[in-house]
Amino acid sequence: MQEILKQLLSNPIFIGGLPLMLLGGMSFILKDIPLRIFGFIWQHTITEIDITNQDKGYRWVDHWLNTHPFAKRWIKSVSFTTEFNSRGEPILVLTPAPGFHFLFHNKKLFWIYKYRDKSNSVQNRYDSKTPPYLETIKICTLGGDRSFVNDLLLKAYTESIGIEESGVNVYNYNGYWKLCDIKPFKDPRSLVLDQGVLDSIFNDTDRFLASRDWYESMSIPWRRGYLLHGSPGSGKSSLVLALASHVKMPVYVVNLADPDMSDSRLIEALSDMETNKPCVLLLEEIDCIFNKRDKADDNSKDSVTFAGLLNALDGLTAPEGRVLMMTTNHFDRLDPALIRPGRADVHLFIDKASSYQIEQMVRRFFVSVTDSQVASILEKIPSNTISMAFLQEQCLRHRESVEDFISNINIQEVLEESYEPVSSPKRRRSSRIRKL
């Protein structure tokens, strides 16, 4: 061993390379030390929070940054998007673009890093709960006290939730729930139904929402279902909006006719709804699923099946605290299994305009109308011959004068222009709510 060591020490190549080898080894060992020291200092002196657009709070923070006075004045790199208000008017929205930004809030410096990840956005759009791309906002501030960040988030929530609570939030599902519109609260007086119908459904919903503890004590799923059926244009969708306005609940809309909607995606959509407070689940034109079932072919194998729909509505994964609203123009096409109690607890047949509805609509548009003029209108328009949508359109067309409205109403023209009647089940001839 001594002989080998002596030979190595006498070798000039070994003697010259030994320091380099030792220096390289030490550099490899010590290269992570600065990063580790920096990470240690950062961890104990910087408070940071990440918010992705998978979370509802992302919208609150993004909106708050858009309206913050310092951000509006000093942040020059912005992203441009266009939104529309309830009147259809465009709203130009400027939010901080991806990158680094600085912000002073309550005399404290925050730096914000916003970045996007579009790596597999397109192909996974309908295979996950994520939006088309993943966007993250990272908020950092100096100090280990998280109360500053909590105050900032609370401020963002308070300002944004005031806007969202100014109307009915309508969410649409395209692989994830997106707030597509905030509808102004609908005045129930603007919805003209037969006497007692609106009060009955409001009272039934109020009773349901106030009975959560009773449902839990009885081990009954806390869910309520309503089926609205009748002629097109009779006010079914307007009734949904009026109910959501009355109980101040968001509306989640699922389009069963969407070719990208399948059984698994439907269950995922319903499971991903808000569970911390009641909401309205709207399935419009529910009879479309039976049309697809009757016309089943190879191209429709990924669509929602009838069994999948039933499982999503009241299976083990079905959410509680939701008010299900189903609408259809073709009651006779519905399977009894779908509209049984427990799924559709209340059936409401909304017929064409009755004499009471015609009179109330006319008096709403023409405040100075006389009783004799109302009688003349009712004589020209028999009960249950036209839809409320058609009657409203006629009132709008001649809203300047009730005399013009009366003189231009032609029942033959009305019958030709109005929708074809939709047969209603014999067991529900009345438009009143049953089973309340």
Side-chain angles (χ1 to χ4, degrees):
M1 178 62 70
Q2 293 180 351
E3 185 67 25
I4 295 175
L5 182 60
K6 184 178 180 179
Q7 291 180 0
L8 289 176
L9 293 176
S10 63
N11 189 325
I13 298 178
F14 178 79
I15 295 298
L18 181 61
L20 295 177
M21 182 175 63
L22 294 175
L23 181 62
M26 292 296 296
S27 300
F28 180 80
I29 295 173
L30 298 177
K31 71 174 183 177
D32 291 335
I33 291 181
L35 293 177
R36 291 179 181 275
I37 294 175
F38 178 79
F40 178 82
I41 296 175
W42 180 278
Q43 184 178 2
H44 289 81
T45 59
I46 302 296
T47 299
E48 62 179 27
I49 183 172
D50 289 353
I51 308 172
T52 69
N53 56 348
Q54 296 176 347
D55 188 86
K56 188 176 181 179
Y58 180 90
R59 181 181 178 88
W60 303 336
V61 174
D62 206 34
H63 168 78
W64 181 78
L65 290 174
N66 176 47
T67 57
H68 194 280
F70 185 90
K72 293 173 68 175
R73 182 176 181 181
W74 294 105
I75 294 181
K76 305 302 181 183
S77 178
V78 295
S79 295
F80 170 77
T81 57
T82 304
E83 297 181 357
F84 294 89
N85 60 18
S86 58
R87 297 175 178 269
E89 300 167 339
I91 302 175
L92 308 182
V93 180
L94 299 177
T95 57
F100 280 100
H101 307 278
F102 293 92
L103 177 72
F104 277 97
H105 176 68
N106 289 343
K107 300 180 181 181
K108 190 171 183 64
L109 175 65
F110 292 86
W111 56 97
I112 299 167
Y113 179 47
K114 187 176 183 180
Y115 58 94
R116 294 174 180 171
D117 180 11
K118 297 185 178 181
S119 54
N120 48 7
S121 56
V122 177
Q123 61 268 30
N124 289 338
R125 180 176 180 185
Y126 289 102
D127 292 334
S128 67
K129 301 176 184 178
T130 59
Y133 55 82
L134 182 64
E135 190 167 273
T136 303
I137 294 178
K138 181 189 291 291
I139 302 175
C140 306
T141 188
L142 186 63
D145 187 1
R146 293 191 300 178
S147 62
F148 294 102
V149 177
N150 293 339
D151 292 342
L152 185 149
L153 296 177
L154 180 61
K155 181 72 173 177
Y157 168 79
T158 303
E159 293 188 3
S160 298
I161 206 66
I163 297 177
E164 293 187 3
E165 290 183 348
S166 62
V168 177
N169 294 350
V170 181
Y171 293 88
N172 191 30
Y173 190 78
N174 285 309
Y176 68 104
W177 287 112
K178 178 182 179 182
L179 179 62
C180 60
D181 198 2
I182 301 179
K183 297 283 187 182
F185 289 122
K186 187 174 182 62
D187 186 349
R189 293 174 298 180
S190 66
L191 183 61
V192 181
L193 297 175
D194 269 342
Q195 287 180 293
V197 172
L198 201 59
D199 289 338
S200 297
I201 195 169
F202 281 3
N203 293 337
D204 183 74
T205 307
D206 290 340
R207 181 186 180 190
F208 162 73
L209 295 175
S211 304
R212 180 171 188 172
D213 293 339
W214 182 87
Y215 274 79
E216 291 179 352
S217 66
M218 299 293 291
S219 298
I220 300 175
W222 189 46
R223 293 189 289 262
R224 192 72 170 163
Y226 299 89
L227 174 65
L228 311 180
H229 59 103
S231 304
S234 56
K236 296 184 290 295
S237 298
S238 298
L239 177 56
V240 174
L241 180 58
L243 178 64
S245 301
H246 171 71
V247 294
K248 303 294 190 297
M249 293 195 306
V251 178
Y252 290 81
V253 183
V254 175
N255 181 13
L256 296 178
D258 187 343
D260 292 297
M261 183 64 70
S262 63
D263 289 346
S264 59
R265 289 173 186 145
L266 178 61
I267 293 176
E268 179 181 305
L270 271 56
S271 301
D272 201 30
M273 294 191 306
E274 284 192 53
T275 57
N276 59 333
K277 61 180 181 180
C279 61
V280 174
L281 171 62
L282 176 59
L283 303 178
E284 291 191 289
E285 309 302 335
I286 191 68
D287 54 277
C288 72
I289 193 171
F290 299 100
N291 295 337
K292 292 195 298 183
R293 184 174 66 171
D294 295 339
K295 300 177 182 179
D297 52 35
D298 293 338
N299 296 327
S300 63
K301 59 184 179 181
D302 292 331
S303 60
V304 178
T305 64
F306 181 59
L309 174 62
L310 298 182
N311 185 42
L313 293 181
D314 60 359
L316 291 177
T317 59
E320 296 192 15
R322 61 106 177 107
V323 176
L324 173 64
M325 306 292 291
M326 297 184 289
T327 68
T328 181
N329 298 329
H330 305 282
F331 182 92
D332 55 320
R333 297 180 185 176
L334 303 183
D335 193 296
L338 175 65
I339 59 178
R340 66 160 175 80
R343 291 176 180 143
D345 305 287
V346 177
H347 296 182
L348 176 59
F349 174 61
I350 306 179
D351 204 350
K352 294 186 176 183
S354 64
S355 297
Y356 171 81
Q357 291 175 285
I358 296 172
E359 179 179 352
Q360 295 302 312
M361 178 70 78
V362 169
R363 291 189 182 279
R364 183 168 182 269
F365 273 86
F366 309 104
V367 180
S368 59
V369 65
T370 64
D371 292 342
S372 60
Q373 288 174 324
V374 171
S376 176
I377 293 172
L378 294 178
E379 185 178 346
K380 282 194 168 187
I381 309 177
S383 180
N384 299 324
T385 56
I386 63 172
S387 68
M388 288 297 292
F390 186 82
L391 176 61
Q392 179 174 275
E393 191 276 331
Q394 295 296 313
C395 291
L396 286 170
R397 182 182 299 181
H398 306 289
R399 62 183 178 273
E400 291 81 8
S401 170
V402 65
E403 289 80 9
D404 290 342
F405 175 80
I406 295 174
S407 60
N408 284 280
I409 282 292
N410 185 303
I411 188 58
Q412 188 60 37
E413 177 186 352
V414 167
L415 292 176
E416 291 175 357
E417 293 292 335
S418 63
Y419 294 108
E420 289 296 324
V422 177
S423 59
S424 61
K426 294 181 178 180
R427 62 180 179 276
R428 293 183 180 87
R429 296 183 182 275
S430 171
S431 61
R432 299 291 183 89
I433 291 184
R434 307 293 298 273
K435 302 181 181 178
L436 289 186

